[in-house]
Amino acid sequence: MKAGPSGIGVVFQNVTKQYGKMTAVDGVSLDIRAGEFLTLLGPSGSGKTTLLMMLAGFQDITAGDILVGGSSIATTPPEKRNFGMVFQGYALFPHMSVAKNISYPLEIRRKPQAEIDVRVNEMLDLVQLKGFADRYPHQLSGGQQQRVALARALSFSPRVLLLDEPLGALDRKLRSDVQEQLKDIHNRVGTTFIYVTHDQEEALTMSDRIVIMNRGKVVQVGNPVELYERPRTAFAASFLGKSNFIHRDGRTFTLRPEKIDVFPAGTGHGQNRLTGTVRGITYMGATLKLLVEVPGHPIIEVHVPAWRNTGQYSDSQAVDLCWSDDAQVVVEGGDGEEAGARSA
């Protein structure tokens, strides 16, 4: 069960950051609720890390303001903001034990030793590292080091926890495990988490809300279901998951690959149908990815369950692609190619 919010709300008011003539963040306004897990998602150069660094106090604001708990922090030094921070590189002290790494923020705040001991034990229990107190960072796996970094950042009960690509150094399986642990920890402590990533899966699986950014601006804000199922722009549709783009009646529709049914040519049925030729088949474990060439359209990508379709399709096979009206969404902004995604 999720803890009540113990974090503080954050408000960006028309925040801009310029480096000479280059604008890294362009008039961003954003209201982050107390206790939520909010993810800033976007490609390299989108402004997400710069926004986080301004919040942390490591970068000055060119224009606008940032409020935390209703008060401006624009001129507050980083060390006075009382934020926790977790980086991709962990930044653990190699000469300190796990317990000492966790207790360090409390020691520099001159907390009583008895209070420190209790808090360190609480943090070790929170990140499931009981029994690791006397180990050193080099004796831990990457996932364990990341959990120590998280425990250290939470040990002094920060107003907000900032996480900058914290799982980027982990392999895929470990990333998935730590994602689940991190979300569980957030549910238990209720602190406001502000998370930066370019990884779509991380954003979808962990966030209460996602802020999609591009070229220094906010493209769309919403919960994972809203953003995936009802993107407003081609960029949002193509950056958050795979999308096909179909131009019809003077409009651009986005259509997710898994929402398309495939039939032998001439047998398809549904509200919408296109006939094409299979030009590529890729086995992806849970799914088969089909690339289908349709006259008058770019290549359309289709995902079908692999367990019941392996061997059912072949290159150059003629197929009907069918989908319902509610599977397609009208979006603004062309075909989404600026997101770096293959579109159709």
Side-chain angles (χ1 to χ4, degrees):
M1 183 175 179
K2 187 165 184 171
S6 58
I8 302 296
V10 176
V11 178
F12 291 88
Q13 294 182 334
N14 201 30
V15 172
T16 295
K17 177 63 179 179
Q18 290 181 308
Y19 298 97
K21 295 182 179 180
M22 194 273 285
T23 302
V25 173
D26 190 0
V28 168
S29 294
L30 183 64
D31 191 342
I32 302 172
R33 304 161 189 156
E36 80 171 323
F37 194 127
L38 181 126
T39 295
L40 301 174
L41 175 70
S44 297
S46 62
K48 59 188 186 299
T49 295
T50 302
L51 199 65
L52 195 77
M53 292 300 103
M54 286 190 288
L55 177 56
F58 300 147
Q59 303 250 352
D60 293 331
I61 301 170
T62 303
D65 201 1
I66 301 176
L67 309 181
V68 177
S71 301
S72 173
I73 60 166
T75 60
T76 304
E79 66 274 13
K80 300 293 186 181
R81 298 189 182 194
N82 200 34
F83 294 165
M85 192 138 192
V86 182
F87 298 95
Q88 178 177 328
Y90 317 139
L92 298 178
F93 300 116
H95 62 288
M96 291 185 183
S97 68
V98 166
K100 278 293 186 181
N101 265 282
I102 296 172
S103 68
Y104 181 76
L106 300 169
E107 292 171 358
I108 63 174
R109 287 168 172 79
R110 302 185 182 279
K111 298 295 183 181
Q113 188 60 49
E115 180 181 329
I116 291 175
D117 292 342
V118 169
R119 189 60 175 167
V120 168
N121 284 327
E122 289 175 348
M123 291 296 99
L124 287 170
D125 184 56
L126 179 70
V127 299
Q128 300 177 35
L129 287 176
K130 283 284 191 180
F132 288 76
D134 296 328
R135 296 195 189 184
Y136 287 81
H138 73 273
Q139 297 173 309
L140 305 176
S141 69
Q144 290 168 340
Q145 290 183 49
Q146 190 56 276
R147 282 186 278 158
V148 174
L150 182 63
R152 183 180 62 187
L154 288 170
S155 65
F156 58 96
S157 300
R159 298 197 293 172
V160 178
L161 183 66
L162 310 179
L163 304 103
D164 187 17
E165 302 272 7
L167 309 186
L170 305 181
D171 63 53
R172 185 176 181 85
K173 173 63 168 66
L174 193 52
R175 281 172 76 110
S176 179
D177 292 342
V178 178
Q179 285 170 18
E180 294 177 5
Q181 294 162 358
L182 187 57
K183 185 60 179 174
D184 177 64
I185 289 168
H186 174 258
N187 287 339
R188 291 164 64 186
V189 300
T191 302
T192 307
F193 279 26
I194 303 176
Y195 192 97
V196 163
T197 187
H198 63 273
D199 187 293
Q200 306 162 10
E201 182 180 333
E202 269 184 20
L204 285 170
T205 58
M206 299 172 65
S207 312
D208 294 325
R209 287 193 301 156
I210 300 168
V211 179
I212 299 177
M213 296 189 66
N214 189 37
R215 298 177 179 175
K217 293 181 176 290
V218 171
V219 175
Q220 189 173 348
V221 182
N223 66 48
V225 174
E226 290 170 344
L227 294 187
Y228 188 84
E229 299 293 344
R230 291 287 178 255
R232 290 200 298 263
T233 67
F235 180 86
S238 58
F239 193 78
L240 192 63
K242 294 286 187 180
S243 281
N244 298 294
F245 294 92
I246 297 173
H247 299 274
R248 191 173 63 194
D249 301 328
R251 296 185 293 176
T252 297
F253 296 87
T254 183
L255 180 62
R256 299 292 188 186
E258 70 276 10
K259 296 185 177 182
I260 303 172
D261 294 319
V262 186
F263 302 91
T267 67
H269 53 84
Q271 293 168 307
N272 302 278
R273 181 172 65 178
L274 293 173
T275 299
T277 305
V278 176
R279 296 302 187 197
I281 303 170
T282 303
Y283 176 74
M284 302 176 67
T287 61
L288 286 180
K289 180 175 75 174
L290 307 179
L291 299 181
V292 180
E293 182 180 44
V294 177
H297 296 270
I299 292 290
I300 294 180
E301 182 172 322
V302 184
H303 296 173
V304 297
W307 68 272
R308 64 183 181 190
N309 288 293
T310 301
Q312 298 298 308
Y313 304 104
S314 59
D315 280 328
S316 301
Q317 179 181 353
V319 294
D320 286 343
L321 305 180
C322 302
W323 65 93
S324 61
D325 285 340
D326 60 3
Q328 62 187 20
V329 180
V330 177
V331 293
E332 303 172 357
D335 61 8
E337 288 181 352
E338 64 178 342
R342 189 204 62 75
S343 62

